[in-house]
Amino acid sequence: MPGLLDKRLWIVSGKGGVGKTTVAAALALASVRAGRRTLVCEVNTQERVSRFLELPEAGPEVKKLEENLWAVDVRPQESMREYGLMVLRFETLYKTVFENRLVRYFLRFIPSLQELVLLGKILFHLQEKLPDGRWKYDTVVLDAPATGHAISFLSVPQVLLQTVPPGPMTREALKMRDLLVDPGVTAAVLVALPEEMPVNEALELHSALRDRVHIRTHAAVLNQAFPQRFTEADLEALSGSPELLKVAKAHHDRASQAVLAGTKLERNLHAPVYTVPRLFVPRFGRDAVETVMGHLQTLVTGGAGA
């Protein structure tokens, strides 16, 4: 299985609470370790990637956190200004148009404009180049919104192409859509927990990405999985100690549940599943993210799922 290093835009999503931001941070670190200039983007949220990595917050403008690693929290107000300047080119013209009260009133009725400028800023950074012609960022890791919002967010270019008359906005939407659907550029990584609802949401997200947005699922990450440590023979041997047997059986059942969840994902996604074990740590910080990164190394460099 080719690794993520063959792509430049890594979209990480899944049900809320499954650890997608942790996975995004771990993948960004893995990209950095591979020597790639890496930008990690969060979308209009309270920043967590920088906190997990024990680094200063980035804010709404791209900020270098450490060697080869940049971050940004893409927010509507700042993105609107940047989008306006990118499209209109001149700041005076931007102020005339976007800071006009009457124009701002009518902008509210343009479908999905906020999502368009957020996504537009991210894809603008994806296409930025250095003076020597190289990509400014070899990898852009998008910590995308959770399942339902992710679909509407990534569908915006296609929606605009279907609803807005031809013009500058549709030309921008066409460029965005072409980048998102290009399998040589973009890959989706879906995150789930070894539980029924998160697995089902990952499968629904996969179907929606494929059918509505035409983004390919590259792989899935089964997060917080219990490893199999007790066999049936072990449980039999502990039958004389009810308390120990209870603990061992609970662990055995959770591990079995993880195996079933991984199998269900693989069979329905037709993509490899990478397992990250549950970490028992007093504080979730940089060391924990690097541990997760170690379990996802093959996802980044290439090879079969675990």
Side-chain angles (χ1 to χ4, degrees):
M1 179 69 189
L4 284 173
L5 294 179
D6 290 341
K7 323 292 180 185
R8 293 190 55 243
L9 176 61
W10 306 353
I11 300 174
V12 183
S13 186
K15 186 180 185 299
V18 299
K20 65 181 183 62
T21 299
T22 300
V23 171
L27 292 177
L29 278 187
S31 175
V32 169
R33 296 290 168 84
R36 290 163 66 110
R37 296 166 59 87
T38 303
L39 171 66
V40 57
C41 302
E42 295 183 82
V43 182
N44 196 26
T45 186
Q46 189 173 23
E47 287 184 52
R48 289 185 294 167
V49 169
S50 56
R51 188 173 81 244
F52 288 166
L53 297 178
E54 301 176 11
L55 297 167
E57 284 193 358
E61 295 185 7
V62 173
K63 179 179 180 180
K64 188 171 185 176
L65 300 183
E66 61 183 37
E67 188 64 27
N68 274 349
L69 179 62
W70 289 259
V72 63
D73 180 15
V74 186
R75 302 173 189 168
Q77 185 173 347
E78 293 84 355
S79 297
M80 179 70 78
R81 183 177 186 280
E82 286 191 52
Y83 177 80
L85 291 175
M86 283 187 286
V87 174
L88 299 176
R89 307 299 180 188
F90 299 103
E91 187 160 4
T92 51
L93 186 56
Y94 165 81
K95 289 178 178 178
T96 302
V97 176
F98 281 85
E99 293 187 2
N100 181 290
R101 288 177 58 190
L102 184 61
V103 172
R104 284 209 310 266
Y105 174 80
F106 284 105
L107 287 175
R108 291 162 46 197
F109 297 97
I110 298 177
S112 306
L113 180 63
Q114 176 172 297
E115 287 82 1
L116 177 73
V117 297
L118 292 172
L119 185 58
K121 176 175 168 58
I122 294 164
L123 297 181
F124 170 79
H125 293 311
L126 179 70
Q127 299 171 88
E128 279 189 284
K129 289 192 174 182
L130 296 170
D132 62 7
R134 291 180 299 147
W135 295 116
K136 187 172 184 178
Y137 306 107
D138 303 305
T139 304
V140 174
V141 180
L142 170 57
D143 180 15
T147 307
H149 189 194
I151 295 302
S152 59
F153 180 67
L154 296 169
S155 298
V156 164
Q158 185 62 41
V159 170
L160 284 171
L161 288 171
Q162 294 170 347
T163 57
V164 176
M169 189 168 291
T170 52
R171 287 197 294 271
E172 289 297 310
L174 182 61
K175 292 177 188 176
M176 294 182 199
R177 188 202 61 183
D178 288 349
L179 285 170
L180 290 174
V181 304
D182 186 346
V185 174
T186 301
V189 176
L190 311 186
V191 186
L193 297 178
E195 301 169 8
E196 183 176 5
M197 189 174 294
V199 167
N200 288 340
E201 281 210 22
L203 296 178
E204 290 170 10
L205 177 58
H206 162 72
S207 297
L209 287 174
R210 179 193 62 205
D211 300 336
R212 292 173 52 187
V213 193
H214 308 297
I215 292 177
R216 178 176 172 272
T217 298
H218 183 86
V221 174
L222 189 64
N223 194 26
Q224 298 185 32
F226 276 68
Q228 187 66 267
R229 289 178 178 157
F230 298 96
T231 64
E232 294 292 340
D234 294 329
L235 297 180
E236 182 67 27
L238 291 171
S239 60
S241 178
E243 290 302 318
L244 289 177
L245 177 61
K246 182 179 179 180
V247 172
K249 190 173 187 312
H251 194 290
H252 177 271
D253 291 346
R254 293 291 295 272
S256 298
Q257 187 178 16
V259 171
L260 291 174
T263 301
K264 183 175 181 179
L265 286 170
E266 279 192 337
R267 286 178 176 172
N268 289 277
L269 295 179
H270 305 292
V273 177
Y274 297 80
T275 301
V276 174
R278 182 161 186 166
L279 303 181
F280 295 92
V281 293
R283 186 181 65 85
F284 198 93
R286 176 90 181 215
D287 288 346
V289 174
E290 293 194 357
T291 299
V292 173
M293 179 191 71
H295 290 283
L296 299 178
Q297 198 64 48
T298 311
L299 166 57
V300 174
T301 59

